[in-house]
Amino acid sequence: MASSLTKDPASSTGTERTFLGHPRGLTNLFMTEMWERYSFYGMRALLVLYLTAEVAQGGLGMNVATATAIYSVYNAMVYLLALPGGWIADRAWGARKTVAIGGAIIMIGHFLLALPPEFSFFIGLAFIAVGSGLLKANISTMVGHLYDGVNDPRRDGGFTIFYMGINIGAFVAPLTIGTIGQKVNWHLGFAMAGVGMAIGLAFFLLGTRHFDAQSDVVPSPMSEAERASIIKKVLIWTLVAAVAYGVVGLSGHFTIDWALWPLTILGLVLPVYYLAQIKRDKELAPADQSKMSAYIWLFVAAAVFWGIYDQTGSTLTVFASDSTSSSLLGFSFPESWFQSLNPLYIMALAPVFAWIWVALAKRRKEPTTLSKFSFGLVLIGASFGIMMIAQGLATDGTRVSPLWLVMVYLIQTVGELTLSPVGLSVTTKLAPQKYASQMMGVWFLAVTAGDSVIALLQLVGVPTTTQGWFASQGALAVLAGVAILMYRKKIQPLMGGVH
């Protein structure tokens, strides 16, 4: 291994320079991801607060149900679009070009949010969702390209460093963008997110020469006939949508629901359709069919988990704003700061959990994947049980202690650490070879499905600021966790030896 900033003539990764023993390109990808997450989580910390703020305070004055539905649909689309984002890289542009274009689209989206007109705000959200789908699906792939195959001993350490960038960006964003957005000017906060993405994009472009040549390869390029057919279909559907929405708009009937409902239904139908297509594939061996049957159980469990977990930026933010004291021990802070708790907890606890799993594995006492999923669901349900109590204490207008949310975020983070990394791992283990490169996108669809269910509940008018809202979802998650545990003896054999 070459020393820091020295040539490595034996390198086969296409990246001769190294930094702290890792390929030099990791530095640029780390910074790109950190600043992209900074922009993403900074904007997300402000989103619902801005939508619900009074017009006199510079917000859009929306009701809570509509604002939280917008948040849920937006979050669902970010993860849904990761699937076509990966497809575009595989069939048209390659990973490096796709990430660069995605970063540019995200940056434009944030600056559109910073403009005063309301219509530019929603166009900006669409840009960020599309750009995030392109970038999120491919930048991790580029990290893998830096290393000499899956057995490179530096590989796991490289990904650990890379994912630390996610949490650093997510931690700092609400503290800075949230403060400026809430205390100075909403649009200035959104502009800060745009500047953050611009910095990340600059690091990416400056690091191009350090990336592996494999990141420029299009693994399965389209033929000219395929390309022409796809472009034709995209243009036709775009024209149909433009005409339909044009008619609705000109007739004076257009409301935000005309956008939210179709996207919510799409977020529910596509995950089901995609899983059904894989499950019905007659080319799959019986063992793969069995693994997919087990995976559907885990997918549904994950959808329940993410549907609750992702409310940190919606219903929990509303609770923080309306019902929680924003001071502790004499120190006052903006409500958006609560969203820095999760990445802070992850950075503190992730190494602890990694050590615990290894220690238990050495003693042959490590819980199975199904047990970890069950534990994660019970914890996320328990967090909403605590929210039910906190909501009850705040029903008379009392502002509860911020320690309630501090506790809720801690429990949710522990639940995330037992389910999310395990879910990523088991997805790769249960994936049929035919769909190996697509299954990570399928895992992201669990987030889409969960967020779309929450959006649907919000669109039909289920009140989100009641004890019933938290109690019902908390109970559902706990029951799902218990069900996984009760039926583990039926599910485990389907997994083909994967534990």
Side-chain angles (χ1 to χ4, degrees):
M1 185 181 297
S3 62
S4 176
L5 299 180
T6 60
K7 293 282 187 179
D8 181 6
S11 174
S12 61
T13 65
T15 304
E16 293 183 338
R17 289 181 177 272
T18 64
F19 180 70
L20 299 179
H22 287 275
R24 186 61 183 268
L26 180 64
T27 304
N28 297 84
L29 293 177
F30 172 93
M31 296 300 290
T32 302
E33 181 74 355
M34 185 186 76
W35 283 106
E36 187 275 328
R37 292 290 88 183
Y38 174 83
S39 69
F40 178 83
Y41 285 103
M43 184 281 291
R44 206 175 79 158
L46 292 178
L47 182 55
V48 170
L49 295 170
Y50 170 69
L51 293 175
T52 56
E54 298 293 336
V55 175
Q57 298 173 338
L60 296 186
M62 291 186 175
N63 61 58
V64 170
T66 301
T68 51
I70 290 172
Y71 167 89
S72 296
V73 170
Y74 161 74
N75 219 47
M77 291 303 105
V78 166
Y79 288 92
L80 176 64
L81 292 169
L83 202 60
W87 182 89
I88 288 172
D90 286 343
R91 303 299 309 277
W93 294 340
R96 186 188 65 79
K97 184 177 180 180
T98 305
V99 170
I101 292 173
I105 293 173
I106 293 169
M107 179 184 67
I108 293 170
H110 284 298
F111 285 127
L112 285 172
L113 299 187
L115 299 176
E118 185 174 330
F119 73 88
S120 70
F121 182 86
F122 292 104
I123 295 173
L125 283 182
F127 268 63
I128 296 169
V130 171
S132 296
L134 294 172
L135 187 145
K136 189 175 183 65
N138 296 291
I139 193 166
S140 296
T141 301
M142 290 186 66
V143 175
H145 289 164
L146 295 173
Y147 296 94
D148 189 15
V150 296
N151 294 320
D152 189 321
R154 303 170 299 169
R155 186 182 179 93
D156 287 350
F159 271 99
T160 300
I161 294 171
F162 176 72
Y163 286 118
M164 282 298 291
I166 294 175
N167 291 298
I168 292 172
F171 171 70
V172 176
L175 303 179
T176 53
I177 294 175
T179 301
I180 297 298
Q182 283 192 264
K183 300 299 184 181
V184 181
N185 182 276
W186 297 108
H187 297 288
L188 184 58
F190 294 131
M192 283 181 64
V195 171
M197 188 64 249
I199 295 172
L201 185 59
F203 271 105
F204 184 82
L205 297 176
L206 290 171
T208 296
R209 62 194 176 94
H210 299 303
F211 300 147
D212 190 86
Q214 189 179 350
S215 296
D216 290 310
V217 174
V218 180
S220 180
M222 290 182 283
S223 65
E224 288 301 320
E226 282 181 294
R227 187 184 299 270
S229 175
I230 290 172
I231 291 174
K232 181 180 178 181
K233 290 177 181 177
V234 169
L235 290 175
I236 289 173
W237 281 107
T238 301
L239 181 62
V240 168
V243 170
Y245 279 98
V247 169
V248 174
L250 291 173
S251 67
H253 291 93
F254 182 82
T255 65
I256 192 65
D257 283 352
W258 280 91
L260 294 178
W261 274 102
L263 292 175
T264 299
I265 293 170
L266 186 69
L268 290 170
V269 170
L270 276 185
V272 174
Y273 171 79
Y274 206 85
L275 281 173
Q277 287 294 100
I278 297 176
K279 188 71 177 69
R280 292 167 57 187
D281 189 341
K282 295 181 180 180
E283 294 182 6
L284 293 185
D288 285 332
Q289 288 282 1
S290 175
K291 288 179 180 178
M292 284 307 301
S293 296
Y295 188 75
I296 289 172
W297 275 82
L298 300 177
F299 182 92
V300 173
V304 173
F305 180 91
W306 294 118
I308 295 175
Y309 180 89
D310 275 345
Q311 291 179 55
T312 53
S314 57
T315 55
L316 295 194
T317 293
V318 171
F319 183 82
S321 177
D322 295 346
S323 305
T324 305
S325 172
S326 56
S327 65
L328 185 65
L329 301 176
F331 177 74
S332 298
F333 51 89
E335 295 86 357
S336 54
W337 281 25
F338 282 109
Q339 293 190 53
S340 285
L341 287 172
N342 172 254
L344 177 64
Y345 288 148
I346 288 179
M347 287 188 287
L349 296 177
V352 176
F353 270 77
W355 175 82
I356 289 173
W357 298 143
V358 171
L360 290 174
K362 288 180 179 178
R363 294 172 174 81
R364 298 184 179 181
K365 293 182 179 180
E366 183 182 4
T368 64
T369 293
L370 293 174
S371 297
K372 291 176 183 176
F373 260 71
S374 176
F375 190 49
L377 284 165
V378 170
L379 283 174
I380 201 74
S383 76
F384 262 37
I386 293 172
M387 280 303 304
M388 176 194 70
I389 298 171
Q391 183 67 62
L393 295 173
T395 50
D396 60 353
T398 301
R399 285 187 173 268
V400 301
S401 167
L403 293 178
W404 285 95
L405 284 177
V406 170
M407 187 190 309
V408 167
Y409 278 105
L410 176 60
I411 294 172
Q412 290 191 349
T413 302
V414 174
E416 179 190 4
L417 289 170
T418 63
L419 184 142
S420 182
V422 177
L424 289 168
S425 177
V426 79
T427 295
T428 62
K429 293 175 181 177
L430 296 180
Q433 186 60 39
K434 181 178 178 180
Y435 296 98
S437 62
Q438 301 176 46
M439 283 299 288
M440 202 55 70
V442 174
W443 171 253
F444 288 140
L445 289 182
V447 183
T448 297
D451 286 342
S452 295
V453 170
I454 298 302
L456 182 64
L457 293 174
Q458 291 159 339
L459 286 172
V460 298
V462 177
T464 60
T465 56
T466 64
Q467 286 183 291
W469 173 266
F470 295 113
S472 58
Q473 292 178 60
L476 175 63
V478 171
L479 288 173
V482 172
I484 291 285
L485 202 60
M486 287 179 60
Y487 287 92
R488 67 187 184 280
K489 292 183 179 180
K490 292 185 178 181
I491 304 171
Q492 190 66 61
L494 299 174
M495 297 174 68
V498 174
H499 294 284

